[in-house]
Amino acid sequence: MRILINIFSIFICINFYFTAHAHILKNTPQHKWRVIYVEGGQYKEYQLALLSLIKELMQQDIIVNTPIPDSDSFENTSELWNWIIKNTKSEFLEFIPDGFYSANWDSEQRKKQKKTILTRIHEKNDIDIILAFGNFAGIDFATNEHDVSTFVMAVTDSIEAKIIKSVNDSGFDHVHASIETGRYERQLTTFHDVFKFKTLGIPYNQKENKVTIAYKQIKNAANKLGFQLNLCSFDGSGTKKQILTNFIACIKKLAKECDAIYLTINVGMQAENMTKILQPIIEANIPTFSQLGARETELGVLMSLSRPSFESEGKNTANAIKNTINGLLPRDCTQEFSGPLGLAINLKMAVLIGWNPSFEILAAVDNIYHDIKNGK
């Protein structure tokens, strides 16, 4: 009888173990989740965002923690992708060697790229996760043309760009897009509180349209605070040198016509050429605010709200990927995140344009840069 009782007890324990772990067994894939990366074109901020995502995936134990070189060690995002493939290990994710896609800001190449990826999904079925960085990639793959889990990052406003339906609902079961609501209105409110400008210059890439710079938020701020907008579009296609030439022409025009400039997130903001970009602004003695964040303030833009290395967005997307691996739909994962709002000022630029910030302003600053750093 005692033997029977012991056997029964062992059976109960085994049954309890498998019942308790059924959800884990159910969600364990037959193979690793195979990951590709898609972008509209090379852009430094995509590289920084991807780097932050990888670091957060390590924190979540999705990727084995390993030392990562500084972002300046990588010439472009393609180099970073190759480093990830060669140097990271994961029980859950496989970063595909031929899974890096960039359209190089070419509209025809973008169409071919989308067709190639969709064909690969439907015919080879060897993609489980799409990392879509920027507006173009988000727009192209937040669709019902496939059902591969898609995570969108590095977009100014995913709702305005019509990538997702709302903050709480992406609109597709397989889509998740990290979004920080109201950030750009807060930026402009801070900027206007300090300088009380009447006309604000706004450069943007005509190839991407105004939605890529969160124009709706910019317009709302202008209406509430009572200043005018002066928009200048530039051709963001061609070589980096051509893009830079087009962008500087736009900056020169705005510097003559406006009393402040809001430097939006766009391909013209080339870190290694920031001195050239800012020269017409220095000559006009007008203030600037970086839409991107403190990284550009360190390079010479007068002010910004600090946003260190996309950490908050990387954490949000990493959480969504982890939850998806554990069985949730990307659509059911939280999209909204909150980034840091600390003020950053470049005092060297303040001197160059003849602005002497008050003690009250300096007391509210989290990041002060005394020199203009050379960008890479």
Side-chain angles (χ1 to χ4, degrees):
M1 176 64 72
R2 182 174 295 174
I3 294 174
L4 290 175
I5 291 174
N6 288 339
I7 293 173
F8 181 74
S9 298
I10 292 171
F11 174 79
I12 292 296
C13 290
I14 292 172
N15 185 65
F16 174 79
Y17 176 85
F18 279 101
T19 300
H21 291 75
H23 67 287
I24 297 176
L25 295 173
K26 179 181 178 182
N27 295 324
T28 301
Q30 296 297 317
H31 54 75
K32 295 181 181 181
W33 294 65
R34 296 159 297 189
V35 186
I36 69 168
Y37 171 96
V38 187
E39 65 180 18
Q42 288 289 337
Y43 188 37
K44 181 68 175 180
E45 275 46 63
Y46 298 165
Q47 178 184 324
L48 296 173
L50 178 59
L51 199 57
S52 73
L53 174 61
I54 297 302
K55 289 178 180 178
E56 289 298 332
L57 287 170
M58 289 179 181
Q59 292 295 316
Q60 299 282 356
D61 294 324
I62 299 299
I63 298 175
V64 176
N65 210 325
T66 188
I68 301 178
D70 184 82
S71 62
D72 290 336
S73 301
F74 304 105
E75 184 68 26
N76 50 48
T77 312
S78 178
E79 284 190 7
L80 172 57
W81 184 257
N82 290 330
W83 182 92
I84 293 168
I85 292 166
K86 294 176 183 177
N87 296 278
T88 61
K89 296 180 180 179
S90 173
E91 295 180 34
F92 307 97
L93 302 177
E94 176 189 352
F95 297 92
I96 303 176
D98 64 344
F100 182 89
Y101 293 89
S102 178
N104 297 315
W105 305 117
D106 183 277
S107 57
E108 289 303 314
Q109 189 173 337
R110 176 186 170 191
K111 292 176 185 177
K112 293 177 181 178
Q113 175 173 281
K114 180 179 179 181
K115 183 178 180 181
T116 297
I117 295 172
L118 289 176
T119 299
R120 179 173 182 172
I121 289 170
H122 297 308
E123 294 184 0
K124 295 183 67 176
N125 192 30
D126 67 342
I127 301 171
D128 302 299
I129 289 178
I130 298 172
L131 300 179
F133 278 58
N135 287 273
F136 283 177
I139 291 168
D140 286 348
F141 292 96
T143 71
N144 59 4
E145 297 170 276
H146 67 94
D147 59 2
V148 173
S149 296
T150 300
F151 300 90
V152 183
M153 285 186 69
V155 174
T156 49
D157 192 327
S158 297
I159 299 172
E160 188 177 347
K162 301 190 185 319
I163 293 171
I164 58 174
K165 184 179 179 181
S166 69
V167 172
N168 298 316
D169 183 12
S170 68
F172 300 101
D173 286 347
H174 59 287
V175 173
H176 173 278
S178 292
I179 182 169
E180 184 180 12
T181 56
R183 178 178 182 83
Y184 306 111
E185 284 193 53
R186 292 194 295 273
Q187 287 184 343
L188 291 175
T189 298
T190 300
F191 194 27
H192 189 263
D193 283 348
V194 176
F195 291 101
K196 307 297 182 186
F197 46 81
K198 296 182 179 179
T199 304
L200 181 66
I202 309 286
Y204 72 96
N205 181 2
Q206 67 186 25
K207 296 290 184 181
E208 292 186 329
N209 208 320
K210 290 184 287 187
V211 298
T212 63
I213 61 169
Y215 179 70
K216 187 176 180 180
Q217 290 191 48
I218 295 172
K219 185 68 175 176
N220 286 343
N223 291 338
K224 290 177 182 178
L225 299 171
F227 59 82
Q228 300 296 315
L229 297 178
N230 185 338
L231 276 72
C232 179
S233 65
F234 67 95
D235 186 353
S237 60
T239 65
K240 288 190 71 172
K241 186 176 181 179
Q242 290 171 332
I243 293 171
L244 180 66
T245 299
N246 297 339
F247 184 59
I248 291 177
C250 208
I251 295 300
K252 287 180 177 179
K253 175 180 181 295
L254 293 174
K256 293 177 181 178
E257 300 173 353
C258 307
D259 49 354
I261 295 179
Y262 185 51
L263 291 166
T264 57
I265 299 171
N266 64 72
V267 293
M269 291 291 286
Q270 299 171 10
E272 67 274 23
N273 290 305
M274 197 64 77
T275 302
K276 295 178 182 178
I277 292 168
L278 294 174
Q279 190 56 42
I281 294 167
I282 294 171
E283 293 172 1
N285 294 320
I286 58 175
T288 50
F289 198 105
S290 167
Q291 187 178 50
L292 176 64
R295 179 173 176 271
E296 289 182 349
T297 302
E298 188 177 11
L299 298 177
V301 179
L302 180 64
M303 297 178 69
S304 72
L305 295 185
S306 59
R307 182 182 181 178
S309 305
F310 292 90
E311 290 174 5
S312 301
E313 185 173 7
K315 184 174 183 178
N316 180 265
T317 304
N319 286 337
I321 291 173
K322 182 175 183 178
N323 288 332
T324 299
I325 290 172
N326 286 329
L328 279 181
L329 293 171
R331 185 178 197 167
D332 294 332
C333 300
T334 302
Q335 296 187 125
E336 188 173 17
F337 70 93
S338 296
L341 297 178
L343 188 65
I345 288 180
N346 190 302
L347 289 183
K348 179 67 174 181
M349 177 57 71
V351 171
L352 290 174
I353 66 169
W355 176 57
N356 186 21
S358 67
F359 174 79
E360 289 77 13
I361 291 174
L362 292 176
V365 173
D366 287 344
N367 298 88
I368 295 179
Y369 301 103
H370 296 275
D371 295 300
I372 295 176
K373 180 182 176 182
N374 292 322
K376 293 183 180 180

